[in-house]
Amino acid sequence: MIGTGILKGMAVTARNFVGSYFDKERLITVQYPEERIPLPENYRNFPFLIYDGNDSHAGLRCVACKICEKECPPQCIYIVKSQDKKPDYMGKPQFYPKVFDIDISVCMSCQICVEVCPFEAIKMDKEFELSQRERFDHLLLRKEQLSKSNEYYHKIHPVEAATVDKGLADAATAAEAKKRAAAEAAAKAAAAKAAAAAAAKAKPAADAPSPSPGSS
Amino acid sequence: MESLGEIKSRIEAAVFGAKIEIMQNGSPSQQHSLLIDNEHAVAVARFLRVDPALYLDFCSNVTGVDWLDRVVKKTTKVKKIVDGQEKEVVETSEEKIPGYLEAVYHLYSITHKHGPVIIRMRTSDRADGTHLPSLTPVWRSAEFQEREIFDLYGIRFGGHPDLRRILMWDEFENYPMRKDYHEPDDYEWEPTPHDDVMEKAKVHYPPRPEMDGAEKITSQP
Amino acid sequence: MSAVVETIEAMERPPLSMGSRLEGELLEVSMGPQHPSTHGVFRMNVALDGEIVRKLKPVFGYLHRNHEKIGENTSYLGSMPYTDRLDYFCSMTNNWAYALSVEKLAGIEVPERAEYLRVILAELTRLQNHASLLGFLLSDMGAWGTPLMYAFREREKILDLFESLAGSRMMCDYMRFGGCRVDASEEWLAGAQQIVDRFPKFLDEFEELILGNEIVIGRTQNVGKLSAELAVNAGITGPMLRACGVNYDIRKIDCYGFYPRFKFRIPLGEHGDTYDRLMMRALEMRESVEILKQAFAQIAPGPIVNPKVKVRAFRPPVGEAYGRIEGPKGELGFYLISDGAPNPYRYRVRPPSFINLTVLEDLCLGHTVADVMVILGSIDIVMGEVDR
């Protein structure tokens, strides 16, 4: 009978419609913004800079090496290096960025800047409700807006932040161990040198004719 | 599938006067190509398509390439007499290769399920001699792709049924994909703080009244 | 920048075989760039005799971003996010095609687990692409979005999978040269397996909704018949070619990736009309489910990226390479010429949608305006790929 195909299709629609009252699977609309689905851990949308501790200037991890600026495909990062240095988390004095701007009307969230950063200073944020009323000025994020604390990073990406912290801690202990080993080796070398000098001084004294045995 | 050398000899036997060269490819992909001359290109293409052993009936990809004037440095070891002794001296010679445009065709066979056989055609230069024969009568898939090469590189394909610009608008001048293409600097610009495009474009426009306060943004906060 | 409408010279008087005594000239209509059914900014200049199409010239370039020039000015790694945006429905397969070409150019090997992940993601992409296509085609025919929402319900599940793995639903930027960027956890694989296990039930329901419908059958059968000879000569690839009965699937021919390890069939059509092209997509979805089941069974833990590949300052050797995959729309190929610099010398995308449009005029001649939309929908074009 002609029309059975259409009737079967209508039966499918009817089944879905009635079923949506009973089965959660069939009712898939999320009433945003009253309901929000939690974002997965790996979700990424626009980068931000991390600082350790409470001071966003002193704890900033970025050392203005400009690698992210060079690798960024649409060239949306703009960095100006500072003239002076400040100590980083291991105590070494490093440059810091005087100006760090990201133009989020250009950024495509490809996270290549995160991949190439050697200092774990820039990571991906999860903020997507970023619409502004001014088109040109407010879509340029400056260093102050971009700097967020390490606790914030732990909150949005717990697994990733734990890995990063572990990596940094391991690097710090490895550096410590290396420093200690170097110091020990230096001390040993100094002691050996002192002993050799003492032995050299004692030698001419021992060469002098002195029949005293067992002089130590 | 036969090797490129065999294909070359069979083409030269079948098409009288065809001059084929094998271009080596240095990368691990080992996809060497055949350089065919422009006069006999259509005959060679027809042979490749109907030959029972090859039967390359599927032209997969047609690409245009722009090669600028290049200087290639070659180093050779030459035996020379220096200070009364015969020594091997390294001599460098420079070879100037004039620029040209190229069209590269990747051919596969659907019947025999082999490929690719890559053929190339070169123009004589980049200015007036940018003519190539069109292979659209042989493989229809080249129709849109040759139009695109004409649009973006400026190679004129003789014998193409409908040669006009395809991606750019019809009155566009110049050929965007060429290496020496110079962008026009009077784009309609919108202020962004770190953009040299904006600096170039500003020269062409009178000072505008305030655009959402955008005129005031600078790279310094 | 206004485009001059390509004037179409009027043909001779149309024959009176339609029984009509009315004479007239051809009406030139621009089925313009803004149209809900043209799958993006696509324009067709048609010359109509009443309702019958006498001539059709496609006009595109409205989304032309000169992706190939950007590729010449960006490093190899930096071009990877741009390939997402070519065919924006299938970003994973675009990434794979580009990564495959660079790996061919530089001779890089890919570890096992990465290959399995690539196959899993490519087949998931194929599933959601074909489902969306069927939904969009039905919307074009006037089904006002109901089949589209059914397709999108499943597509959302797959996109949620992509989001939890790669970080983004559509612009995944997931493949790297020599492997993948992020490893898939066991929970992710279990979740994906659950979705794939429930897919055949969705397919049964979807086919019952669409493919038995008399309106669909009446509008798509014997419409837009494509002969196998013309298809091969015109460079058509993908489901459109297989609908004409030509057995050519690059997964089986080139044997890239780990496809030789999976058993799957290739559906072929008989008539080459629009209904066959629809059925191709429905049947291919079932085969993709088979491949996915086998891939989930075979995947094993291991490294996901080749450690010898440098991320920054990646310089492949001098030479060229052409790598291609069977994307959901056809043969997607990348042709790269390298001169040893960090940027490619020539970066070319072989876009399947662009080349599949070669035969649009041939398919539409003699059909009505309503059929033009149906035929265009069945070719499956995405303007991001046509224009690049």
Side-chain angles (χ1 to χ4, degrees):
Chain A
M1 183 189 83
I2 192 165
T4 40
I6 302 183
L7 285 177
K8 275 208 213 131
M10 287 190 183
V12 170
T13 333
R15 205 168 44 226
N16 265 288
F17 176 60
V18 173
S20 71
Y21 283 96
F22 303 104
D23 189 4
K24 265 296 167 200
E25 271 274 310
R26 299 204 188 275
L27 190 66
I28 49 172
T29 312
V30 172
Q31 304 290 344
Y32 183 85
E34 287 87 20
E35 271 178 58
R36 283 162 211 258
I37 322 179
L39 294 169
E41 143 109 32
N42 274 350
Y43 177 74
R44 58 182 149 93
N45 199 34
F46 299 141
F48 71 99
L49 293 171
I50 299 192
Y51 63 83
D52 295 306
N54 292 329
D55 189 351
S56 81
H57 176 78
L60 195 67
R61 287 188 197 167
C62 174
V63 300
C65 64
K66 298 206 183 205
I67 292 181
C68 58
E69 188 185 24
K70 226 176 349 188
E71 298 286 328
C72 174
Q75 305 274 305
C76 67
I77 303 183
Y78 180 76
I79 301 179
V80 170
K81 224 173 187 163
S82 65
Q83 306 289 346
D84 56 326
K85 297 195 182 187
K86 71 165 173 65
D88 71 349
Y89 72 100
M90 284 212 286
K92 224 168 84 155
Q94 302 266 22
F95 288 112
Y96 61 92
K98 193 161 73 161
V99 173
F100 196 111
D101 294 342
I102 293 185
D103 190 351
I104 60 172
S105 63
V106 175
C107 171
M108 54 177 177
S109 308
C110 62
Q111 57 103 284
I112 287 184
C113 54
V114 171
E115 258 179 77
V116 296
C117 176
F119 296 96
E120 319 274 6
I122 188 169
K123 296 289 175 192
M124 293 313 278
D125 202 350
K126 280 186 179 177
E127 280 290 313
F128 58 89
E129 292 160 344
L130 287 168
S131 51
Q132 309 286 345
R133 291 194 186 263
E134 307 274 320
R135 210 165 107 213
F136 303 110
D137 203 1
H138 294 199
L139 286 181
L140 179 76
L141 299 186
R142 303 202 188 265
K143 190 171 77 164
E144 295 74 29
Q145 289 161 286
L146 286 173
S147 309
K148 302 200 179 160
S149 72
N150 202 5
E151 280 83 44
Y152 176 74
Y153 183 41
H154 274 274
K155 202 165 56 160
I156 57 174
H157 289 287
V159 175
E160 208 181 301
T163 328
V164 165
D165 277 357
K166 187 164 164 308
L168 286 177
D170 285 347
T173 44
E176 267 298 314
K178 221 165 94 168
K179 228 174 27 175
R180 235 180 303 125
E184 270 181 29
K188 245 210 258 183
K193 228 165 60 164
K201 256 212 284 198
K203 217 161 168 280
D207 275 349
S210 144
S212 56
S215 64
S216 50
Chain B
M1 201 179 69
E2 335 165 286
S3 74
L4 269 191
E6 291 168 13
I7 298 180
K8 171 179 172 216
S9 38
R10 289 212 299 129
I11 297 178
E12 284 171 343
V15 179
F16 177 69
K19 288 185 271 295
I20 319 274
E21 237 185 275
I22 296 188
M23 309 296 301
Q24 291 290 340
N25 181 3
S27 75
S29 72
Q30 297 293 307
Q31 287 177 342
H32 311 293
S33 47
L34 294 171
L35 174 66
I36 61 181
D37 62 317
N38 298 350
E39 275 178 55
H40 306 94
V42 183
V44 171
R46 262 190 235 280
F47 167 73
L48 288 173
R49 200 189 80 191
V50 303
D51 174 55
L54 286 175
Y55 212 79
L56 297 166
D57 50 4
F58 174 56
C59 172
S60 161
N61 180 31
V62 182
T63 313
V65 193
D66 181 16
W67 296 100
L68 293 172
D69 300 333
R70 277 172 295 171
V71 171
V72 174
K73 285 200 174 70
K74 275 211 281 254
T75 55
T76 43
K77 286 203 170 89
V78 173
K79 280 202 166 67
K80 264 175 131 179
I81 301 200
V82 174
D83 297 334
Q85 275 188 328
E86 198 173 299
K87 271 204 232 168
E88 264 203 5
V89 177
V90 176
E91 272 192 353
T92 55
S93 58
E94 285 191 355
E95 191 192 326
K96 273 202 171 54
I97 305 181
Y100 49 84
L101 300 166
E102 211 178 26
V104 184
Y105 293 74
H106 285 78
L107 307 167
Y108 287 82
S109 169
I110 289 193
T111 335
H112 292 317
K113 300 190 194 318
H114 63 217
V117 170
I118 308 173
I119 60 179
R120 314 175 96 94
M121 288 197 284
R122 288 193 184 155
T123 66
S124 41
D125 60 37
R126 294 175 79 242
D128 295 321
T130 55
H131 300 275
L132 283 180
S134 162
L135 298 187
T136 305
V138 183
W139 293 291
R140 180 122 177 247
S141 65
E143 182 183 339
F144 277 9
Q145 301 188 74
E146 283 178 354
R147 263 179 78 181
E148 183 191 336
I149 298 179
F150 165 64
D151 185 5
L152 297 178
Y153 280 96
I155 302 181
R156 289 186 178 278
F157 289 93
H160 192 277
D162 184 15
L163 194 68
R164 55 195 164 96
R165 286 195 181 262
I166 192 170
L167 291 175
M168 307 303 290
W169 61 97
D170 287 324
E171 299 96 359
F172 189 79
E173 285 167 15
N174 211 344
Y175 303 109
M177 278 295 287
R178 288 204 183 176
K179 292 281 177 184
D180 56 359
Y181 174 70
H182 180 73
E183 291 184 338
D185 48 43
D186 56 349
Y187 284 137
E188 264 186 52
W189 55 275
E190 280 183 347
T192 52
H194 311 300
D195 209 342
D196 43 347
V197 172
M198 181 177 81
E199 294 309 316
K200 279 193 285 185
K202 261 188 176 166
V203 178
H204 297 264
Y205 289 88
R208 296 199 205 177
E210 283 204 16
M211 283 169 68
D212 303 332
E215 301 273 321
K216 298 209 209 96
I217 56 171
T218 55
S219 61
Q220 305 300 319
Chain C
M1 37 187 109
S2 63
V4 169
V5 171
E6 190 61 22
T7 50
I8 306 168
E9 65 275 9
M11 288 169 59
E12 318 84 337
R13 229 161 257 169
L16 294 174
S17 55
M18 296 196 25
S20 153
R21 300 285 230 71
L22 296 172
E23 300 167 351
E25 290 179 345
L26 295 176
L27 176 67
E28 293 169 23
V29 173
S30 157
M31 297 176 100
Q34 282 181 331
H35 193 294
S37 296
T38 53
H39 294 259
V41 274
F42 179 62
R43 181 170 168 207
M44 293 179 277
N45 288 328
V46 293
L48 296 174
D49 160 33
E51 277 277 320
I52 313 283
V53 172
R54 293 288 175 217
K55 226 174 181 189
L56 186 148
K57 293 282 175 221
V59 178
F60 31 78
Y62 291 92
L63 195 50
H64 180 63
R65 301 158 284 187
N66 215 343
H67 173 234
E68 303 182 351
K69 190 93 182 183
I70 296 177
E72 285 178 16
N73 293 337
T74 322
S75 62
Y76 284 90
L77 178 63
S79 289
M80 187 64 94
Y82 286 112
T83 59
D84 285 335
R85 284 139 172 98
L86 273 177
D87 171 1
Y88 34 80
F89 270 85
C90 317
S91 73
M92 292 285 193
T93 45
N94 294 353
N95 286 350
W96 191 0
Y98 180 55
L100 192 79
S101 304
V102 175
E103 283 156 14
K104 253 196 188 158
L105 177 66
I108 305 175
E109 285 188 10
V110 183
E112 274 210 15
R113 187 178 166 90
E115 290 278 19
Y116 278 115
L117 280 176
R118 283 181 173 185
V119 168
I120 290 175
L121 292 166
E123 294 306 316
L124 283 173
T125 311
R126 199 182 308 270
L127 282 179
Q128 58 100 7
N129 175 283
H130 287 331
S132 314
L133 172 82
L134 289 177
F136 280 123
L137 183 55
L138 267 282
S139 298
D140 292 347
M141 284 201 241
W144 279 103
T146 305
L148 183 62
M149 286 302 125
Y150 278 61
F152 267 36
R153 196 174 56 191
E154 298 310 306
R155 183 168 179 252
E156 285 297 310
K157 294 187 191 149
I158 297 180
L159 290 183
D160 285 342
L161 277 180
F162 287 172
E163 194 182 20
S164 52
L165 178 67
S168 171
R169 282 153 47 100
M170 279 165 70
M171 307 301 161
C172 300
D173 183 25
Y174 180 69
M175 312 282 177
R176 289 283 179 262
F177 313 132
C180 305
R181 175 169 54 91
V182 176
D183 202 353
S185 60
E186 290 303 317
E187 301 100 55
W188 188 89
L189 285 171
Q193 202 155 5
Q194 239 189 1
I195 292 178
V196 168
D197 286 338
R198 288 201 257 155
F199 217 81
K201 189 155 155 284
F202 156 71
L203 281 178
D204 292 333
E205 193 184 56
F206 202 43
E207 286 177 11
E208 203 184 319
L209 180 67
I210 294 182
L211 294 174
N213 197 315
E214 278 83 0
I215 301 179
V216 169
I217 295 180
R219 278 192 77 169
T220 56
Q221 281 195 343
N222 291 326
V223 163
K225 271 190 155 171
L226 181 62
S227 69
E229 296 82 34
L230 177 60
V232 168
N233 199 311
I236 311 290
T237 48
M240 211 170 146
L241 177 69
R242 295 195 280 281
C244 308
V246 180
N247 185 356
Y248 193 75
D249 186 327
I250 300 176
R251 292 177 286 179
K252 294 265 191 202
I253 306 262
D254 273 5
C255 300
Y256 63 94
F258 276 3
Y259 278 110
R261 296 191 186 188
F262 304 117
K263 285 226 310 259
F264 60 101
R265 302 173 294 177
I266 307 289
L268 292 176
E270 280 175 10
H271 307 281
D273 59 5
T274 307
Y275 190 68
D276 278 358
R277 292 195 276 269
L278 278 188
M279 283 301 292
M280 277 301 106
R281 270 101 191 190
L283 294 171
E284 277 191 10
M285 280 203 276
R286 290 203 187 265
E287 295 304 318
S288 290
V289 170
E290 290 301 309
I291 299 178
L292 279 167
K293 284 201 194 125
Q294 294 169 47
F296 283 128
Q298 291 180 19
I299 191 170
I304 56 160
V305 75
N306 187 334
K308 286 194 259 195
V309 178
K310 290 200 286 189
V311 174
R312 291 187 57 217
F314 173 72
R315 281 169 197 260
V318 177
E320 58 181 50
Y322 177 66
R324 59 183 195 157
I325 62 158
E326 175 77 22
K329 302 200 155 62
E331 171 190 330
L332 175 65
F334 279 80
Y335 176 57
L336 293 163
I337 300 185
S338 143
D339 59 350
N343 296 356
Y345 187 81
R346 173 74 171 111
Y347 167 91
R348 150 95 182 161
V349 182
R350 189 254 186 219
S353 312
F354 182 61
I355 297 174
N356 288 355
L357 280 178
T358 313
V359 291
L360 181 63
E361 187 176 2
D362 298 77
L363 294 181
C364 290
L365 287 181
H367 290 292
T368 60
V369 172
D371 295 332
V372 168
M373 283 308 156
V374 169
I375 294 171
L376 183 66
S378 72
I379 297 182
D380 195 4
I381 59 169
V382 170
M383 292 320 285
E385 197 170 53
V386 172
D387 293 339
R388 277 156 286 133

